[in-house]
PDB file of all heavy atoms in Angstrom:
ATOM      1  N   ASN A   1      53.330-110.011   5.898  1.00  0.00           N
ATOM      2  CA  ASN A   1      53.707-111.028   4.973  1.00  0.00           C
ATOM      3  C   ASN A   1      55.182-110.952   4.733  1.00  0.00           C
ATOM      4  O   ASN A   1      55.752-109.858   4.611  1.00  0.00           O
ATOM      5  CB  ASN A   1      52.919-110.822   3.625  1.00  0.00           C
ATOM      6  CG  ASN A   1      51.446-110.913   3.833  1.00  0.00           C
ATOM      7  OD1 ASN A   1      50.938-111.757   4.520  1.00  0.00           O
ATOM      8  ND2 ASN A   1      50.703-110.009   3.154  1.00  0.00           N
ATOM      9  N   ILE A   2      55.844-112.115   4.672  1.00  0.00           N
ATOM     10  CA  ILE A   2      57.271-112.158   4.598  1.00  0.00           C
ATOM     11  C   ILE A   2      57.764-112.842   3.324  1.00  0.00           C
ATOM     12  O   ILE A   2      57.248-113.869   2.923  1.00  0.00           O
ATOM     13  CB  ILE A   2      57.894-112.926   5.853  1.00  0.00           C
ATOM     14  CG1 ILE A   2      57.310-112.316   7.107  1.00  0.00           C
ATOM     15  CG2 ILE A   2      59.366-112.878   5.749  1.00  0.00           C
ATOM     16  CD1 ILE A   2      57.720-110.859   7.350  1.00  0.00           C
ATOM     17  N   GLY A   3      58.726-112.200   2.704  1.00  0.00           N
ATOM     18  CA  GLY A   3      59.325-112.803   1.532  1.00  0.00           C
ATOM     19  C   GLY A   3      60.814-113.092   1.684  1.00  0.00           C
ATOM     20  O   GLY A   3      61.480-112.291   2.417  1.00  0.00           O
ATOM     21  N   TRP A   4      61.272-114.153   1.143  1.00  0.00           N
ATOM     22  CA  TRP A   4      62.732-114.350   1.026  1.00  0.00           C
ATOM     23  C   TRP A   4      63.130-114.166  -0.443  1.00  0.00           C
ATOM     24  O   TRP A   4      62.498-114.664  -1.353  1.00  0.00           O
ATOM     25  CB  TRP A   4      63.101-115.790   1.421  1.00  0.00           C
ATOM     26  CG  TRP A   4      63.188-116.045   2.871  1.00  0.00           C
ATOM     27  CD1 TRP A   4      62.265-116.593   3.698  1.00  0.00           C
ATOM     28  CD2 TRP A   4      64.279-115.702   3.769  1.00  0.00           C
ATOM     29  NE1 TRP A   4      62.730-116.598   4.980  1.00  0.00           N
ATOM     30  CE2 TRP A   4      63.969-116.063   5.058  1.00  0.00           C
ATOM     31  CE3 TRP A   4      65.533-115.062   3.507  1.00  0.00           C
ATOM     32  CZ2 TRP A   4      64.842-115.892   6.114  1.00  0.00           C
ATOM     33  CZ3 TRP A   4      66.420-114.929   4.597  1.00  0.00           C
ATOM     34  CH2 TRP A   4      66.074-115.321   5.881  1.00  0.00           C
ATOM     35  N   PHE A   5      64.225-113.399  -0.626  1.00  0.00           N
ATOM     36  CA  PHE A   5      64.743-113.118  -1.971  1.00  0.00           C
ATOM     37  C   PHE A   5      66.199-113.524  -1.973  1.00  0.00           C
ATOM     38  O   PHE A   5      66.854-113.658  -0.982  1.00  0.00           O
ATOM     39  CB  PHE A   5      64.559-111.632  -2.279  1.00  0.00           C
ATOM     40  CG  PHE A   5      63.166-111.144  -2.434  1.00  0.00           C
ATOM     41  CD1 PHE A   5      62.354-110.946  -1.330  1.00  0.00           C
ATOM     42  CD2 PHE A   5      62.642-110.977  -3.705  1.00  0.00           C
ATOM     43  CE1 PHE A   5      61.027-110.562  -1.482  1.00  0.00           C
ATOM     44  CE2 PHE A   5      61.331-110.576  -3.832  1.00  0.00           C
ATOM     45  CZ  PHE A   5      60.487-110.354  -2.718  1.00  0.00           C
ATOM     46  N   ARG A   6      66.747-113.621  -3.145  1.00  0.00           N
ATOM     47  CA  ARG A   6      68.183-113.823  -3.283  1.00  0.00           C
ATOM     48  C   ARG A   6      68.697-113.043  -4.490  1.00  0.00           C
ATOM     49  O   ARG A   6      67.971-112.784  -5.464  1.00  0.00           O
ATOM     50  CB  ARG A   6      68.518-115.286  -3.449  1.00  0.00           C
ATOM     51  CG  ARG A   6      67.996-116.009  -4.658  1.00  0.00           C
ATOM     52  CD  ARG A   6      68.267-117.455  -4.557  1.00  0.00           C
ATOM     53  NE  ARG A   6      67.706-118.231  -5.763  1.00  0.00           N
ATOM     54  CZ  ARG A   6      67.696-119.541  -5.797  1.00  0.00           C
ATOM     55  NH1 ARG A   6      68.173-120.294  -4.782  1.00  0.00           N
ATOM     56  NH2 ARG A   6      67.257-120.106  -6.928  1.00  0.00           N
ATOM     57  N   GLN A   7      69.928-112.719  -4.437  1.00  0.00           N
ATOM     58  CA  GLN A   7      70.585-111.986  -5.515  1.00  0.00           C
ATOM     59  C   GLN A   7      72.015-112.527  -5.695  1.00  0.00           C
ATOM     60  O   GLN A   7      72.816-112.381  -4.776  1.00  0.00           O
ATOM     61  CB  GLN A   7      70.606-110.470  -5.296  1.00  0.00           C
ATOM     62  CG  GLN A   7      71.058-109.680  -6.476  1.00  0.00           C
ATOM     63  CD  GLN A   7      70.665-108.220  -6.325  1.00  0.00           C
ATOM     64  OE1 GLN A   7      70.406-107.754  -5.242  1.00  0.00           O
ATOM     65  NE2 GLN A   7      70.613-107.503  -7.463  1.00  0.00           N
ATOM     66  N   ALA A   8      72.278-113.077  -6.857  1.00  0.00           N
ATOM     67  CA  ALA A   8      73.586-113.543  -7.235  1.00  0.00           C
ATOM     68  C   ALA A   8      74.347-112.395  -7.963  1.00  0.00           C
ATOM     69  O   ALA A   8      73.694-111.513  -8.541  1.00  0.00           O
ATOM     70  CB  ALA A   8      73.483-114.755  -8.089  1.00  0.00           C
ATOM     71  N   PRO A   9      75.650-112.386  -7.976  1.00  0.00           N
ATOM     72  CA  PRO A   9      76.390-111.361  -8.663  1.00  0.00           C
ATOM     73  C   PRO A   9      75.939-111.249 -10.138  1.00  0.00           C
ATOM     74  O   PRO A   9      75.852-112.229 -10.844  1.00  0.00           O
ATOM     75  CB  PRO A   9      77.836-111.810  -8.532  1.00  0.00           C
ATOM     76  CG  PRO A   9      77.845-112.644  -7.293  1.00  0.00           C
ATOM     77  CD  PRO A   9      76.495-113.329  -7.322  1.00  0.00           C
ATOM     78  N   GLY A  10      75.689-109.969 -10.545  1.00  0.00           N
ATOM     79  CA  GLY A  10      75.312-109.731 -11.897  1.00  0.00           C
ATOM     80  C   GLY A  10      73.867-110.074 -12.271  1.00  0.00           C
ATOM     81  O   GLY A  10      73.533-110.038 -13.467  1.00  0.00           O
ATOM     82  N   LYS A  11      73.122-110.525 -11.295  1.00  0.00           N
ATOM     83  CA  LYS A  11      71.693-110.946 -11.581  1.00  0.00           C
ATOM     84  C   LYS A  11      70.796-110.038 -10.782  1.00  0.00           C
ATOM     85  O   LYS A  11      71.096-109.431  -9.806  1.00  0.00           O
ATOM     86  CB  LYS A  11      71.514-112.439 -11.292  1.00  0.00           C
ATOM     87  CG  LYS A  11      72.309-113.368 -12.122  1.00  0.00           C
ATOM     88  CD  LYS A  11      71.937-114.817 -11.840  1.00  0.00           C
ATOM     89  CE  LYS A  11      72.638-115.771 -12.825  1.00  0.00           C
ATOM     90  NZ  LYS A  11      72.227-117.156 -12.593  1.00  0.00           N
ATOM     91  N   GLU A  12      69.513-110.081 -11.240  1.00  0.00           N
ATOM     92  CA  GLU A  12      68.473-109.353 -10.511  1.00  0.00           C
ATOM     93  C   GLU A  12      68.011-110.106  -9.274  1.00  0.00           C
ATOM     94  O   GLU A  12      68.209-111.299  -9.135  1.00  0.00           O
ATOM     95  CB  GLU A  12      67.239-109.142 -11.430  1.00  0.00           C
ATOM     96  CG  GLU A  12      67.525-108.220 -12.625  1.00  0.00           C
ATOM     97  CD  GLU A  12      66.225-107.909 -13.401  1.00  0.00           C
ATOM     98  OE1 GLU A  12      65.210-108.494 -13.087  1.00  0.00           O
ATOM     99  OE2 GLU A  12      66.312-107.119 -14.314  1.00  0.00           O
ATOM    100  N   ARG A  13      67.490-109.328  -8.339  1.00  0.00           N
ATOM    101  CA  ARG A  13      66.946-109.930  -7.155  1.00  0.00           C
ATOM    102  C   ARG A  13      65.794-110.867  -7.514  1.00  0.00           C
ATOM    103  O   ARG A  13      64.892-110.462  -8.214  1.00  0.00           O
ATOM    104  CB  ARG A  13      66.569-108.822  -6.152  1.00  0.00           C
ATOM    105  CG  ARG A  13      66.260-109.385  -4.745  1.00  0.00           C
ATOM    106  CD  ARG A  13      66.192-108.271  -3.746  1.00  0.00           C
ATOM    107  NE  ARG A  13      67.519-107.641  -3.624  1.00  0.00           N
ATOM    108  CZ  ARG A  13      67.878-106.761  -2.623  1.00  0.00           C
ATOM    109  NH1 ARG A  13      66.926-106.462  -1.773  1.00  0.00           N
ATOM    110  NH2 ARG A  13      69.055-106.252  -2.582  1.00  0.00           N
ATOM    111  N   GLU A  14      65.840-112.052  -6.980  1.00  0.00           N
ATOM    112  CA  GLU A  14      64.812-113.099  -7.282  1.00  0.00           C
ATOM    113  C   GLU A  14      63.980-113.447  -6.085  1.00  0.00           C
ATOM    114  O   GLU A  14      64.567-113.706  -4.999  1.00  0.00           O
ATOM    115  CB  GLU A  14      65.530-114.311  -7.874  1.00  0.00           C
ATOM    116  CG  GLU A  14      64.681-115.480  -8.117  1.00  0.00           C
ATOM    117  CD  GLU A  14      65.455-116.783  -8.347  1.00  0.00           C
ATOM    118  OE1 GLU A  14      66.642-116.833  -7.938  1.00  0.00           O
ATOM    119  OE2 GLU A  14      64.926-117.698  -8.935  1.00  0.00           O
ATOM    120  N   GLY A  15      62.687-113.497  -6.269  1.00  0.00           N
ATOM    121  CA  GLY A  15      61.847-114.012  -5.205  1.00  0.00           C
ATOM    122  C   GLY A  15      61.971-115.468  -5.035  1.00  0.00           C
ATOM    123  O   GLY A  15      61.818-116.212  -6.015  1.00  0.00           O
ATOM    124  N   VAL A  16      62.213-115.964  -3.832  1.00  0.00           N
ATOM    125  CA  VAL A  16      62.425-117.408  -3.569  1.00  0.00           C
ATOM    126  C   VAL A  16      61.232-118.008  -2.932  1.00  0.00           C
ATOM    127  O   VAL A  16      60.745-119.047  -3.344  1.00  0.00           O
ATOM    128  CB  VAL A  16      63.676-117.565  -2.664  1.00  0.00           C
ATOM    129  CG1 VAL A  16      63.832-118.999  -2.258  1.00  0.00           C
ATOM    130  CG2 VAL A  16      64.947-117.051  -3.338  1.00  0.00           C
ATOM    131  N   SER A  17      60.702-117.352  -1.907  1.00  0.00           N
ATOM    132  CA  SER A  17      59.633-117.919  -1.142  1.00  0.00           C
ATOM    133  C   SER A  17      58.936-116.854  -0.389  1.00  0.00           C
ATOM    134  O   SER A  17      59.559-115.806  -0.086  1.00  0.00           O
ATOM    135  CB  SER A  17      60.134-119.028  -0.219  1.00  0.00           C
ATOM    136  OG  SER A  17      59.038-119.556   0.589  1.00  0.00           O
ATOM    137  N   CYS A  18      57.667-117.048  -0.014  1.00  0.00           N
ATOM    138  CA  CYS A  18      56.998-116.097   0.886  1.00  0.00           C
ATOM    139  C   CYS A  18      55.925-116.815   1.667  1.00  0.00           C
ATOM    140  O   CYS A  18      55.491-117.903   1.333  1.00  0.00           O
ATOM    141  CB  CYS A  18      56.449-114.916   0.160  1.00  0.00           C
ATOM    142  SG  CYS A  18      55.099-115.228  -0.914  1.00  0.00           S
ATOM    143  N   ILE A  19      55.560-116.197   2.756  1.00  0.00           N
ATOM    144  CA  ILE A  19      54.578-116.787   3.615  1.00  0.00           C
ATOM    145  C   ILE A  19      53.606-115.647   4.080  1.00  0.00           C
ATOM    146  O   ILE A  19      54.053-114.571   4.433  1.00  0.00           O
ATOM    147  CB  ILE A  19      55.167-117.473   4.849  1.00  0.00           C
ATOM    148  CG1 ILE A  19      54.137-118.184   5.691  1.00  0.00           C
ATOM    149  CG2 ILE A  19      56.020-116.490   5.720  1.00  0.00           C
ATOM    150  CD1 ILE A  19      54.681-119.171   6.716  1.00  0.00           C
ATOM    151  N   ARG A  20      52.326-115.923   3.880  1.00  0.00           N
ATOM    152  CA  ARG A  20      51.277-114.955   4.261  1.00  0.00           C
ATOM    153  C   ARG A  20      51.113-114.945   5.809  1.00  0.00           C
ATOM    154  O   ARG A  20      51.239-115.963   6.447  1.00  0.00           O
ATOM    155  CB  ARG A  20      50.002-115.268   3.550  1.00  0.00           C
ATOM    156  CG  ARG A  20      50.106-115.249   2.039  1.00  0.00           C
ATOM    157  CD  ARG A  20      50.220-113.844   1.509  1.00  0.00           C
ATOM    158  NE  ARG A  20      49.083-113.095   1.747  1.00  0.00           N
ATOM    159  CZ  ARG A  20      48.002-113.055   0.923  1.00  0.00           C
ATOM    160  NH1 ARG A  20      47.917-113.772  -0.128  1.00  0.00           N
ATOM    161  NH2 ARG A  20      46.990-112.267   1.269  1.00  0.00           N
ATOM    162  N   SER A  21      50.621-113.774   6.290  1.00  0.00           N
ATOM    163  CA  SER A  21      50.487-113.623   7.724  1.00  0.00           C
ATOM    164  C   SER A  21      49.210-114.335   8.219  1.00  0.00           C
ATOM    165  O   SER A  21      49.236-115.195   9.051  1.00  0.00           O
ATOM    166  CB  SER A  21      50.406-112.133   8.076  1.00  0.00           C
ATOM    167  OG  SER A  21      49.941-111.966   9.388  1.00  0.00           O
ATOM    168  N   ARG A  22      48.029-113.968   7.677  1.00  0.00           N
ATOM    169  CA  ARG A  22      46.808-114.378   8.280  1.00  0.00           C
ATOM    170  C   ARG A  22      46.399-115.780   7.833  1.00  0.00           C
ATOM    171  O   ARG A  22      45.866-116.558   8.643  1.00  0.00           O
ATOM    172  CB  ARG A  22      45.741-113.379   7.923  1.00  0.00           C
ATOM    173  CG  ARG A  22      45.935-112.004   8.545  1.00  0.00           C
ATOM    174  CD  ARG A  22      44.997-110.983   8.043  1.00  0.00           C
ATOM    175  NE  ARG A  22      45.261-109.667   8.612  1.00  0.00           N
ATOM    176  CZ  ARG A  22      44.738-108.541   8.264  1.00  0.00           C
ATOM    177  NH1 ARG A  22      43.895-108.539   7.262  1.00  0.00           N
ATOM    178  NH2 ARG A  22      44.986-107.431   8.858  1.00  0.00           N
ATOM    179  N   ILE A  23      46.642-116.096   6.603  1.00  0.00           N
ATOM    180  CA  ILE A  23      46.191-117.434   6.095  1.00  0.00           C
ATOM    181  C   ILE A  23      47.294-118.434   6.102  1.00  0.00           C
ATOM    182  O   ILE A  23      47.056-119.604   5.888  1.00  0.00           O
ATOM    183  CB  ILE A  23      45.542-117.280   4.733  1.00  0.00           C
ATOM    184  CG1 ILE A  23      46.497-116.671   3.677  1.00  0.00           C
ATOM    185  CG2 ILE A  23      44.318-116.430   4.793  1.00  0.00           C
ATOM    186  CD1 ILE A  23      45.949-116.514   2.305  1.00  0.00           C
ATOM    187  N   GLY A  24      48.547-118.020   6.250  1.00  0.00           N
ATOM    188  CA  GLY A  24      49.657-118.919   6.363  1.00  0.00           C
ATOM    189  C   GLY A  24      50.028-119.633   5.101  1.00  0.00           C
ATOM    190  O   GLY A  24      50.864-120.589   5.120  1.00  0.00           O
ATOM    191  N   SER A  25      49.462-119.203   3.955  1.00  0.00           N
ATOM    192  CA  SER A  25      49.849-119.829   2.696  1.00  0.00           C
ATOM    193  C   SER A  25      51.266-119.499   2.287  1.00  0.00           C
ATOM    194  O   SER A  25      51.833-118.505   2.741  1.00  0.00           O
ATOM    195  CB  SER A  25      48.878-119.397   1.584  1.00  0.00           C
ATOM    196  OG  SER A  25      48.939-118.017   1.419  1.00  0.00           O
ATOM    197  N   THR A  26      51.874-120.412   1.546  1.00  0.00           N
ATOM    198  CA  THR A  26      53.266-120.220   1.181  1.00  0.00           C
ATOM    199  C   THR A  26      53.392-120.282  -0.375  1.00  0.00           C
ATOM    200  O   THR A  26      52.555-120.798  -1.066  1.00  0.00           O
ATOM    201  CB  THR A  26      54.121-121.338   1.774  1.00  0.00           C
ATOM    202  OG1 THR A  26      53.606-122.579   1.372  1.00  0.00           O
ATOM    203  CG2 THR A  26      54.118-121.237   3.298  1.00  0.00           C
ATOM    204  N   TYR A  27      54.514-119.728  -0.787  1.00  0.00           N
ATOM    205  CA  TYR A  27      54.808-119.762  -2.188  1.00  0.00           C
ATOM    206  C   TYR A  27      56.299-120.065  -2.336  1.00  0.00           C
ATOM    207  O   TYR A  27      57.138-119.672  -1.526  1.00  0.00           O
ATOM    208  CB  TYR A  27      54.512-118.342  -2.807  1.00  0.00           C
ATOM    209  CG  TYR A  27      55.311-118.101  -4.050  1.00  0.00           C
ATOM    210  CD1 TYR A  27      54.715-118.467  -5.313  1.00  0.00           C
ATOM    211  CD2 TYR A  27      56.559-117.492  -4.074  1.00  0.00           C
ATOM    212  CE1 TYR A  27      55.475-118.246  -6.500  1.00  0.00           C
ATOM    213  CE2 TYR A  27      57.278-117.263  -5.224  1.00  0.00           C
ATOM    214  CZ  TYR A  27      56.696-117.675  -6.401  1.00  0.00           C
ATOM    215  OH  TYR A  27      57.423-117.451  -7.585  1.00  0.00           O
ATOM    216  N   TYR A  28      56.643-120.832  -3.436  1.00  0.00           N
ATOM    217  CA  TYR A  28      57.996-121.073  -3.706  1.00  0.00           C
ATOM    218  C   TYR A  28      58.253-120.926  -5.255  1.00  0.00           C
ATOM    219  O   TYR A  28      57.419-121.344  -6.043  1.00  0.00           O
ATOM    220  CB  TYR A  28      58.402-122.577  -3.337  1.00  0.00           C
ATOM    221  CG  TYR A  28      58.194-122.852  -1.886  1.00  0.00           C
ATOM    222  CD1 TYR A  28      56.973-123.373  -1.435  1.00  0.00           C
ATOM    223  CD2 TYR A  28      59.233-122.588  -0.970  1.00  0.00           C
ATOM    224  CE1 TYR A  28      56.796-123.665  -0.060  1.00  0.00           C
ATOM    225  CE2 TYR A  28      59.011-122.853   0.320  1.00  0.00           C
ATOM    226  CZ  TYR A  28      57.830-123.400   0.794  1.00  0.00           C
ATOM    227  OH  TYR A  28      57.653-123.620   2.157  1.00  0.00           O
ATOM    228  N   THR A  29      59.374-120.395  -5.552  1.00  0.00           N
ATOM    229  CA  THR A  29      59.741-120.347  -7.000  1.00  0.00           C
ATOM    230  C   THR A  29      60.040-121.727  -7.427  1.00  0.00           C
ATOM    231  O   THR A  29      60.493-122.603  -6.633  1.00  0.00           O
ATOM    232  CB  THR A  29      60.938-119.371  -7.228  1.00  0.00           C
ATOM    233  OG1 THR A  29      61.023-119.118  -8.604  1.00  0.00           O
ATOM    234  CG2 THR A  29      62.189-119.932  -6.648  1.00  0.00           C
ATOM    235  N   ASP A  30      59.898-122.027  -8.685  1.00  0.00           N
ATOM    236  CA  ASP A  30      59.969-123.377  -9.154  1.00  0.00           C
ATOM    237  C   ASP A  30      61.267-124.054  -8.894  1.00  0.00           C
ATOM    238  O   ASP A  30      61.331-125.204  -8.572  1.00  0.00           O
ATOM    239  CB  ASP A  30      59.736-123.412 -10.681  1.00  0.00           C
ATOM    240  CG  ASP A  30      58.230-123.238 -11.077  1.00  0.00           C
ATOM    241  OD1 ASP A  30      57.427-123.380 -10.150  1.00  0.00           O
ATOM    242  OD2 ASP A  30      57.986-122.992 -12.252  1.00  0.00           O
ATOM    243  N   SER A  31      62.345-123.250  -8.924  1.00  0.00           N
ATOM    244  CA  SER A  31      63.711-123.855  -8.773  1.00  0.00           C
ATOM    245  C   SER A  31      63.987-124.411  -7.375  1.00  0.00           C
ATOM    246  O   SER A  31      64.977-125.080  -7.204  1.00  0.00           O
ATOM    247  CB  SER A  31      64.741-122.903  -9.201  1.00  0.00           C
ATOM    248  OG  SER A  31      64.709-121.706  -8.350  1.00  0.00           O
ATOM    249  N   VAL A  32      63.194-123.957  -6.384  1.00  0.00           N
ATOM    250  CA  VAL A  32      63.432-124.404  -5.029  1.00  0.00           C
ATOM    251  C   VAL A  32      62.319-125.308  -4.454  1.00  0.00           C
ATOM    252  O   VAL A  32      62.431-125.830  -3.305  1.00  0.00           O
ATOM    253  CB  VAL A  32      63.662-123.204  -4.060  1.00  0.00           C
ATOM    254  CG1 VAL A  32      64.714-122.279  -4.613  1.00  0.00           C
ATOM    255  CG2 VAL A  32      62.398-122.474  -3.776  1.00  0.00           C
ATOM    256  N   LYS A  33      61.267-125.552  -5.225  1.00  0.00           N
ATOM    257  CA  LYS A  33      60.203-126.386  -4.727  1.00  0.00           C
ATOM    258  C   LYS A  33      60.668-127.790  -4.401  1.00  0.00           C
ATOM    259  O   LYS A  33      61.426-128.372  -5.163  1.00  0.00           O
ATOM    260  CB  LYS A  33      59.101-126.457  -5.820  1.00  0.00           C
ATOM    261  CG  LYS A  33      58.199-125.220  -5.900  1.00  0.00           C
ATOM    262  CD  LYS A  33      57.168-125.376  -6.965  1.00  0.00           C
ATOM    263  CE  LYS A  33      56.300-124.096  -7.048  1.00  0.00           C
ATOM    264  NZ  LYS A  33      55.306-124.163  -8.167  1.00  0.00           N
ATOM    265  N   GLY A  34      60.228-128.269  -3.254  1.00  0.00           N
ATOM    266  CA  GLY A  34      60.658-129.568  -2.793  1.00  0.00           C
ATOM    267  C   GLY A  34      61.987-129.572  -2.090  1.00  0.00           C
ATOM    268  O   GLY A  34      62.343-130.585  -1.437  1.00  0.00           O
ATOM    269  N   ARG A  35      62.692-128.440  -2.067  1.00  0.00           N
ATOM    270  CA  ARG A  35      63.973-128.364  -1.400  1.00  0.00           C
ATOM    271  C   ARG A  35      64.016-127.349  -0.258  1.00  0.00           C
ATOM    272  O   ARG A  35      64.639-127.533   0.766  1.00  0.00           O
ATOM    273  CB  ARG A  35      65.078-127.978  -2.406  1.00  0.00           C
ATOM    274  CG  ARG A  35      65.258-128.968  -3.545  1.00  0.00           C
ATOM    275  CD  ARG A  35      66.478-128.686  -4.425  1.00  0.00           C
ATOM    276  NE  ARG A  35      66.431-127.366  -4.992  1.00  0.00           N
ATOM    277  CZ  ARG A  35      67.349-126.407  -4.841  1.00  0.00           C
ATOM    278  NH1 ARG A  35      68.317-126.604  -4.019  1.00  0.00           N
ATOM    279  NH2 ARG A  35      67.262-125.276  -5.437  1.00  0.00           N
ATOM    280  N   PHE A  36      63.250-126.256  -0.430  1.00  0.00           N
ATOM    281  CA  PHE A  36      63.199-125.182   0.619  1.00  0.00           C
ATOM    282  C   PHE A  36      61.875-125.213   1.259  1.00  0.00           C
ATOM    283  O   PHE A  36      60.801-125.556   0.687  1.00  0.00           O
ATOM    284  CB  PHE A  36      63.384-123.847  -0.086  1.00  0.00           C
ATOM    285  CG  PHE A  36      64.777-123.576  -0.613  1.00  0.00           C
ATOM    286  CD1 PHE A  36      65.738-124.559  -0.761  1.00  0.00           C
ATOM    287  CD2 PHE A  36      65.096-122.282  -1.031  1.00  0.00           C
ATOM    288  CE1 PHE A  36      66.996-124.295  -1.250  1.00  0.00           C
ATOM    289  CE2 PHE A  36      66.333-121.988  -1.520  1.00  0.00           C
ATOM    290  CZ  PHE A  36      67.315-122.952  -1.665  1.00  0.00           C
ATOM    291  N   THR A  37      61.845-124.855   2.541  1.00  0.00           N
ATOM    292  CA  THR A  37      60.651-124.730   3.320  1.00  0.00           C
ATOM    293  C   THR A  37      60.671-123.428   4.122  1.00  0.00           C
ATOM    294  O   THR A  37      61.609-123.171   4.856  1.00  0.00           O
ATOM    295  CB  THR A  37      60.461-125.936   4.241  1.00  0.00           C
ATOM    296  OG1 THR A  37      60.477-127.136   3.544  1.00  0.00           O
ATOM    297  CG2 THR A  37      59.132-125.816   4.993  1.00  0.00           C
TER     298      THR A  37
END
């Protein structure tokens, strides 16, 4: 399972998106929904 995270200066690492291995389901944090794939 793979996750994408981001970290801006002075901020905590934030989960952006992930994709599961076997079932292929995906997740997006609200701020990137509709923009990131």
Side-chain angles (χ1 to χ4, degrees):
N1 299 319
I2 305 299
W4 279 100
F5 293 79
R6 64 187 180 188
Q7 189 165 19
K11 293 188 176 181
E12 293 187 354
R13 191 164 295 191
E14 173 193 22
V16 175
S17 179
C18 66
I19 186 166
R20 300 287 296 273
S21 169
R22 294 172 182 170
I23 58 179
S25 59
T26 57
Y27 158 88
Y28 301 92
T29 193
D30 286 346
S31 62
V32 308
K33 284 181 181 176
R35 300 188 299 122
F36 290 12
T37 303

